[in-house]
Amino acid sequence: EPEVTQTPSHQVTQMGQEVILRCVPISNHLYFYWYRQILGQKVEFLVSFYNNEISEKSEIFDDQFSVERPDGSNFTLKIRSTKLEDSAMYFCASSGIIQETQYFGPGTRLLVL
Amino acid sequence: AQSVTQPDIHITVSEGASLELRCNYSYGATPYLFWYVQSPGQGLQLLLKYFSGDTLVQGIKGFEAEFKRSQSSFNLRKPSVHWSDAAEYFCAVGDSGGGADGLTFGKGTHLIIQP
């Protein structure tokens, strides 16, 4: 069964450093999403992406964040200058058509020191 | 704005007993509703979903949920739980209005199974 994959599974970085989280969505899906889950809290929507541009974004997704689909398979989330409060699990998701089921990847646990 | 409330932070159930996890939502129209499960250190696995039609939906692992519009609820049930069901359960609502908004999740219910 096709699945969403994410790399790395864990990342530790120093405050102020840039990080790039990578995702490979399900191959025939068209809509891509990033969510985050701070430890012990609920999953929060960051951004959705369609047709090579941002479709929707939450108030969390500020100028420190960017997304890109650099090729036909990868979908990345970049945090330009990480802060301590960026420490969280980051989930990528994809869906085949709008309003359809979103399938989630296993997540990348980011720790900012 | 849509919201999801899961009133129970923790629930403890004996193995073999029945389970009901509560979920209430706030949404202007008929929502898309989901239940996801998260085992420790794992990602989110879809248990079941409701888009339209029959208000009682069946999912994987023997779970079911019932959409009750009058109560704005989408409670998850299982007739007999297994120790492997111990996990975090998240209810989520999606936008049926045509945008590519992300899902809005509840805070989750931590399910503990006791022998």
Side-chain angles (χ1 to χ4, degrees):
Chain A
E1 183 177 324
E3 58 184 20
V4 177
T5 60
Q6 291 184 243
T7 54
S9 59
H10 295 78
Q11 175 132 15
V12 180
T13 189
Q14 296 291 323
M15 190 170 55
Q17 295 296 302
E18 175 185 284
V19 295
I20 298 177
L21 309 182
R22 291 182 169 78
C23 168
V24 179
I26 294 173
S27 62
N28 60 346
H29 281 186
L30 301 175
Y31 293 86
F32 314 116
Y33 308 82
W34 282 103
Y35 293 80
R36 78 171 185 193
Q37 183 184 31
I38 296 172
L39 188 63
Q41 298 187 24
K42 66 177 178 179
V43 178
E44 301 172 290
F45 167 70
L46 293 178
V47 65
S48 61
F49 191 86
Y50 170 71
N51 200 26
N52 283 319
E53 61 183 23
I54 290 174
S55 185
E56 303 284 345
K57 61 181 181 179
S58 72
E59 60 187 19
I60 302 169
F61 193 87
D62 61 22
D63 292 343
Q64 291 298 310
F65 292 92
S66 63
V67 289
E68 191 179 31
R69 188 155 163 83
D71 53 42
S73 60
N74 288 283
F75 178 52
T76 63
L77 174 69
K78 181 193 290 186
I79 309 175
R80 263 182 268 282
S81 177
T82 50
K83 302 187 283 271
L84 296 176
E85 54 264 38
D86 293 326
S87 295
M89 180 77 96
Y90 288 82
F91 292 107
C92 173
S94 69
S95 62
I97 60 175
I98 200 167
Q99 300 164 15
E100 246 292 346
T101 301
Q102 294 179 29
Y103 293 90
F104 284 76
T108 293
R109 185 169 295 284
L110 176 66
L111 178 61
V112 182
L113 302 176
Chain B
Q2 56 206 34
S3 66
V4 177
T5 301
Q6 292 181 248
D8 303 305
I9 299 174
H10 300 277
I11 281 190
T12 300
V13 177
S14 297
E15 190 169 16
S18 64
L19 170 70
E20 182 170 34
L21 302 183
R22 295 183 290 164
C23 172
N24 292 97
Y25 67 88
S26 173
Y27 187 72
T30 300
Y32 291 166
L33 294 161
F34 306 83
W35 275 98
Y36 286 86
V37 61
Q38 184 182 32
S39 297
Q42 303 297 311
L44 297 165
Q45 181 182 25
L46 178 71
L47 283 177
L48 46 76
K49 62 189 178 186
Y50 172 78
F51 284 178
S52 65
D54 192 348
T55 57
L56 183 64
V57 293
Q58 302 296 321
I60 63 170
K61 304 184 180 185
F63 285 92
E64 68 177 25
E66 186 171 12
F67 170 58
K68 292 186 177 180
R69 183 191 305 275
S70 61
Q71 298 175 20
S72 297
S73 70
F74 188 58
N75 295 347
L76 180 72
R77 300 193 295 251
K78 186 170 183 178
S80 177
V81 297
H82 186 263
W83 63 267
S84 60
D85 293 324
E88 192 83 16
Y89 291 80
F90 292 96
C91 181
V93 61
D95 178 19
S96 62
D101 291 348
L103 301 178
T104 298
F105 284 83
K107 292 185 176 181
T109 296
H110 184 59
L111 176 63
I112 300 166
I113 307 296
Q114 61 183 21

